[in-house]
């Protein structure tokens, strides 16, 4: 029997802070005259350990936000169970709310209000005395590079600053577990990279557990220890980004040859690297997925040179999370997100 | 998936900060709402301009009719009607603010705190009631300058019924805002309620001036009895209408507050 200990200062790695089994949610909807149900989330099982940054990756409409809203007590599950920070979301919603931070996609502050006052009021709604909420808010403003913004109205802030203000709102009561819904949507690349470093800092500096949703592959890749891939309401894969990419059989090797006569010897040489597979030919381009392509490349180039094949270019591409998504679902996440 | 045993974790040993009491949470929400309203007082002023215009531009037309109302000065009859108008119209628009807050994510951010969800509604209604109280005082003060005369007790009682009605309308409007989350739904609903209420409650002119059929239709409107009760309090004519108006005010208040509380407490609102 494993005994789980939970400390407010240092989350011990290994203890489970989010535990869901068969979590599902349907919404009633009308199709013409018939009332039907749409299964937004169709039975999700997940476990998140203390101190992890876990990314919930999937296209828009896959059920990410619905799952997040169930875990944060904003939506009642139709079926299934979930324990968050040790409390049951259905029977102990108040205790769950006290234990977690939540940063929604749509923001959290009134555009005309003052940033600092919003943060202090929010802290007080968590039962924190005003002085303590003020001190904590100012500390968060300093950490999140919002110095001098205390009296600024959110509407006068940049998109990146507003997102960081939302994060300060979600952290004012010092939760050990924080949920971020699409934290960098709508931000420019610089602001996104900046926010990523702040999110990493939450875990590295404060030992927090971060659960975030995203439909950006690079975000999941750069930020998350573990990625849960969700598609059409179910989790289709869950692992570290590297392990997920290893599931895709190898790196993509792409050779471009000078003329069509050289396509056949090039394809033969490339196919020889992977027993049982044959290279894909498109015009003068020959390609194949080769596990551990790096170690074969030098030999391949030498062999082709000896055979008199003149290479125009050689390209090796590591699998991306998009390749993972494509392999798992048969669809590209990029097309979906566009 | 993790390799750890997939059993539900035990409840944490950590001591959490205790959730604020209902009154405390209501106070925090009220203070925040008031601060935001005062920082942008345009809406408070716009809400007051309309009844003041009625008072200044329509009131003089009623003066020659004072005798048929049985009062020395028509403003003693007119101001109570304007109070009810202010209470209904001003408060019915509260829902628009709530929809804007919903869009900014404020409501959801508040709903994920441990604070009582009923407090989220009550704090907002308190702001509307305070705003109505201030506007009512201005209206009565202006009316007094125009010649309104009534007992202090009568005016306070009239103001109290107005505040009850205003609280009810604010609850209804906030509830509707939370359910629909759309100005496009809210606007026609508010307008289609407000116009018949305005015309059939005798707000501008007492319905007793009109034909019998209009009086019968007006009797169906609870707000007509509230207007009559406030008029009675102002003119010193306490009677059965005072009772009916008070009962209706309380009944409407209880029903709409109950519906509002239920809506705000619902998990999926």
């Amino acid at each position: 029997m494993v005994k789980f200990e939970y400390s407010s200062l240092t989350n011990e790695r290994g203890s489970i802070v989010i535990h869901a089994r068969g979590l599902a949610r349907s919404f009633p909807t009308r199709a013409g005259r018939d009332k039907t149900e749409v299964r937004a989330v169709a039975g999700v099982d997940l476990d998140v350990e203390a101190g992890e940054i876990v990314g919930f990756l999937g296209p828009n409409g896959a059920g990410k936000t619905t799952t997040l809203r169930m875990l944060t007590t904003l939506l009642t599950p139709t079926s299934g169970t979930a324990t968050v920070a040790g409390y049951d979301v259905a029977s102990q919603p108040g205790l769950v709310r006290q234990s977690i931070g939540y940063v929604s996609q749509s923001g959290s502050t009134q555009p005309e209000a003052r940033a600092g006052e919003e943060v202090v009021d929010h802290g007080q709604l968590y039962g924190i005395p005003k002085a303590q909420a003020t001190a904590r808010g100012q500390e968060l403003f300093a950490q999140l590079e919002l110095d001098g913004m205390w009296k600024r109205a959110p509407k006068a802030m940049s998109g990146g600053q507003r997102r960081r203000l939302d994060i300060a709102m979600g952290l004012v009561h010092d939760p050990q577990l924080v949920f971020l819904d699409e934290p960098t949507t709508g931000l420019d690349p610089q602001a996104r990279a900046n926010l990523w470093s702040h999110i990493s800092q939450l875990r590295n500096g404060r030992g927090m557990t971060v659960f975030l949703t995203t439909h950006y592959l690079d975000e999941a890749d750069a930020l998350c220890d573990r990625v849960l891939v969700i598609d059409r309401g179910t989790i289709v894969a869950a692992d570290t980004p590297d392990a997920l990419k290893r599931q895709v059989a190898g790196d993509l090797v792409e050779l471009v040859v000078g003329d069509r006569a050289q396509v056949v010897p090039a394809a033969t040489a490339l196919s020889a690297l992977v027993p049982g597979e044959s290279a894909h030919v498109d015009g003068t381009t020959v390609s194949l997925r080769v596990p551990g392509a790096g170690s074969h490349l030098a030999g391949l180039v030498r062999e082709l040179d000896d055979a008199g094949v003149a290479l125009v270019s050689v390209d090796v591409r590591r699998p991306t999370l998009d390749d993972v998504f494509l392999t798992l679902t048969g669809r590209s996440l990029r097309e979906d997100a566009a | 998936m993790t390799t750890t045993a997939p059993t539900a974790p035990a409840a944490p040993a950590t001591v959490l900060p205790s959730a604020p009491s209902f009154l405390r949470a209501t106070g925090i929400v009220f203070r925040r709402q008031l601060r935001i309203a005062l920082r942008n007082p345009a809406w408070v002023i716009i809400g007051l301009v309309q009844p003041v215009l009625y008072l200044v531009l329509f009131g003089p037309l009623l003066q020659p009719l004072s005798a048929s109302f049985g009062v020395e000065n028509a403003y003693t009859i007119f101001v109570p009607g304007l109070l009810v108008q202010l209470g209904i119209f001003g408060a019915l628009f509260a829902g628009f603010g709530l929809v804007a807050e919903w869009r900014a994510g404020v409501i959801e951010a508040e709903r994920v705190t441990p604070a009582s969800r009923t407090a989220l509604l009550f704090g907002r209604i308190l702001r509307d009631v305070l705003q109505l109280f201030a506007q009512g005082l201005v209206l009565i003060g202006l009316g007094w300058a125009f010649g309104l005369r009534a007992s202090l007790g009568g005016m306070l009682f009239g103001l109290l019924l107005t505040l009850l009605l205003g609280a009810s309308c604010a609850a209804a409007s906030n509830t509707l805002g939370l359910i629909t989350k759309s100005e496009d739904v809210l606007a026609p609903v508010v307008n289609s309620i407000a116009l018949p209420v305005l015309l059939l409650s005798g707000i501008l002119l007492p319905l007793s001036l009109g034909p019998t059929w209009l009086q019968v239709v007006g009797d169906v409107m609870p707000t007509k009895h509230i207007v009559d009760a406030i008029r009675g309090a102002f003119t010193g004519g306490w009677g059965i209408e005072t009772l009916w108006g008070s009962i209706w005010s309380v009944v409407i208040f209880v029903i709409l507050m109950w519906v509002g509380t239920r809506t705000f407490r619902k998990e999926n609102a």
Side-chain angles (χ1 to χ4, degrees):
Chain A
M1 177 73 196
V2 190
K3 190 166 184 288
F4 294 100
E5 283 289 334
Y6 185 99
S7 153
S8 69
L9 292 173
T10 48
N11 265 320
E12 280 170 50
R13 273 199 166 259
S15 67
I16 293 179
V17 291
I18 306 175
H19 173 82
R21 285 295 173 268
L23 204 60
R25 172 75 203 192
S26 309
F27 292 103
T29 164
R30 230 174 246 279
R33 280 191 181 173
D34 305 320
K35 278 187 185 170
T36 54
E37 289 214 320
V38 171
R39 275 173 84 87
V41 176
V44 158
D45 293 350
L46 61 89
D47 288 285
V48 173
E49 287 180 25
E52 275 192 299
I53 299 181
V54 172
F56 213 26
L57 177 72
N60 294 327
K64 300 186 299 274
T65 298
T66 305
T67 306
L68 205 66
R69 288 169 59 80
M70 287 193 278
L71 293 175
T72 52
T73 76
L74 286 167
L75 198 63
T76 322
T78 322
S79 64
T81 58
T83 313
V84 172
Y87 301 107
D88 187 79
V89 291
S91 61
Q92 301 169 299
L95 290 164
V96 172
R97 286 176 206 148
Q98 270 169 270
S99 315
I100 62 167
Y102 172 62
V103 180
S104 89
Q105 216 172 321
S106 47
S108 57
T109 54
Q110 187 90 349
E112 299 83 20
R114 300 237 168 113
E117 289 171 347
E118 290 288 74
V119 171
V120 173
D121 281 349
H122 202 60
Q124 287 191 275
L125 283 179
Y126 277 99
I128 298 167
K130 189 170 186 174
Q132 194 188 327
T134 308
R136 174 80 179 118
Q138 280 166 348
E139 185 191 319
L140 282 166
F141 269 49
Q143 274 172 19
L144 293 166
E145 294 173 84
L146 290 169
D147 316 74
M149 299 277 166
W150 191 257
K151 292 191 170 169
R152 179 91 48 107
K155 66 176 174 190
M157 292 182 165
S158 74
Q161 289 167 342
R162 261 204 309 274
R163 288 314 282 165
R164 295 204 297 275
L165 174 60
D166 289 332
I167 291 179
M169 293 279 285
L171 298 182
V172 65
H173 57 298
D174 236 335
Q176 275 303 298
L177 167 61
V178 63
F179 292 87
L180 308 172
D181 196 7
E182 304 272 355
T184 65
T185 298
L187 296 185
D188 61 66
Q190 218 178 341
R192 292 180 67 206
N194 172 275
L195 201 58
W196 290 348
S197 74
H198 283 300
I199 294 170
S200 304
Q201 197 51 42
L202 295 178
R203 193 270 308 275
N204 300 339
R206 311 186 71 92
M208 268 185 175
T209 312
V210 181
F211 189 90
L212 62 94
T213 68
T214 183
H215 63 265
Y216 293 121
L217 301 150
D218 54 345
E219 184 159 292
D221 213 352
L223 192 56
C224 301
D225 304 322
R226 217 149 54 81
V227 175
L228 313 178
V229 183
I230 185 168
D231 184 46
R232 297 175 195 192
T234 43
I235 292 181
V236 291
D239 217 325
T240 63
D242 281 339
L244 284 174
K245 284 182 276 188
R246 272 198 301 274
Q247 286 181 9
V248 179
D251 311 320
L252 187 69
V253 177
E254 215 172 65
L255 308 173
V256 180
V257 292
D259 58 76
R260 283 173 183 275
Q262 297 176 327
V263 164
V264 174
T268 313
L270 188 56
S271 303
L273 295 179
V274 192
E277 295 283 332
S278 53
H280 178 78
V281 178
D282 180 15
T284 54
T285 306
V286 181
S287 61
L288 183 67
R289 286 209 177 274
V290 181
S295 58
H296 297 293
L297 215 54
L300 178 68
V301 172
R302 211 178 309 120
E303 191 184 326
L304 288 171
D305 204 36
D306 291 346
V309 176
L311 288 172
V312 175
S313 76
V314 180
D315 202 9
V316 178
R317 265 185 301 167
R318 297 212 154 274
T320 64
L321 281 179
D322 193 39
D323 296 322
V324 175
F325 196 79
L326 190 67
T327 313
L328 289 168
T329 67
R331 288 178 297 130
S332 167
L333 197 55
R334 268 178 223 291
E335 292 159 18
D336 229 293
Chain B
M1 281 290 136
T2 54
T3 48
T4 325
T7 44
T14 319
V15 180
L16 296 165
S18 54
S21 69
F22 171 71
L23 284 179
R24 180 96 193 87
T26 305
I28 295 165
V29 174
F30 169 65
R31 190 190 60 200
R32 175 175 177 279
Q33 292 291 331
L34 190 65
R35 199 197 291 126
I36 292 171
L38 289 177
R39 201 155 281 155
N40 185 12
W43 286 109
V44 183
I45 294 164
I46 288 169
L48 190 58
V49 162
Q50 208 188 6
V52 166
L53 285 181
Y54 270 111
L55 196 72
V56 175
L57 303 178
F58 190 75
L61 299 174
L62 296 178
Q63 279 302 16
L65 299 170
S66 303
S68 55
F69 301 150
V71 286
E72 273 181 40
N73 189 301
Y75 284 97
T76 312
I77 285 292
F78 192 42
V79 168
L82 290 181
L83 278 176
V84 170
Q85 193 197 7
L86 195 65
I88 295 172
F89 275 77
L92 272 183
F93 279 93
F96 287 92
L98 187 103
V99 175
E101 283 193 281
W102 174 271
R103 210 154 280 148
V106 173
I107 305 293
E108 192 147 285
E110 288 181 352
R111 287 171 68 83
V112 86
T113 71
S116 152
R117 287 177 174 179
T118 309
L120 304 183
L121 174 66
F122 278 37
R124 286 179 167 79
I125 292 175
L126 269 184
R127 171 209 56 196
D128 296 326
V129 168
L130 181 69
Q131 185 174 320
L132 185 57
F133 180 68
Q135 291 172 330
L137 284 185
V138 171
L139 203 58
I140 292 176
L142 265 177
W144 193 271
F146 278 100
L148 175 155
R149 290 298 174 266
S151 71
L152 185 65
M155 289 190 293
L156 285 179
F157 182 76
L159 200 53
L160 178 72
L161 289 194
T162 305
L163 295 183
L164 267 181
L165 185 63
S168 314
C169 289
S173 186
N174 276 305
T175 305
L176 211 58
L178 188 62
I179 295 172
T180 64
K181 300 178 185 76
S182 154
E183 292 94 346
D184 295 337
V185 180
L186 210 53
V189 170
V190 167
N191 274 320
S192 55
I193 292 174
L195 195 62
V197 167
L198 180 76
L199 292 175
L200 291 174
S201 306
I203 282 176
L204 298 177
L205 288 168
L207 290 183
S208 54
L209 294 177
T212 318
W213 67 264
L214 191 57
Q215 294 185 31
V216 171
V217 176
D219 281 340
V220 179
M221 303 296 289
T223 43
K224 186 238 174 195
H225 300 282
I226 298 173
V227 174
D228 284 348
I230 300 176
R231 284 206 171 114
F234 272 60
T235 55
W238 305 88
I240 190 75
E241 271 304 335
T242 317
L243 186 66
W244 274 121
S246 308
I247 290 173
W248 273 120
S249 298
V250 172
V251 166
I252 293 174
F253 179 77
V254 169
I255 292 174
L256 292 179
M257 287 304 244
W258 181 73
V259 173
T261 305
R262 265 185 62 110
T263 309
F264 267 71
R265 291 193 72 84
K266 250 182 24 193
E267 283 302 315
N268 304 332

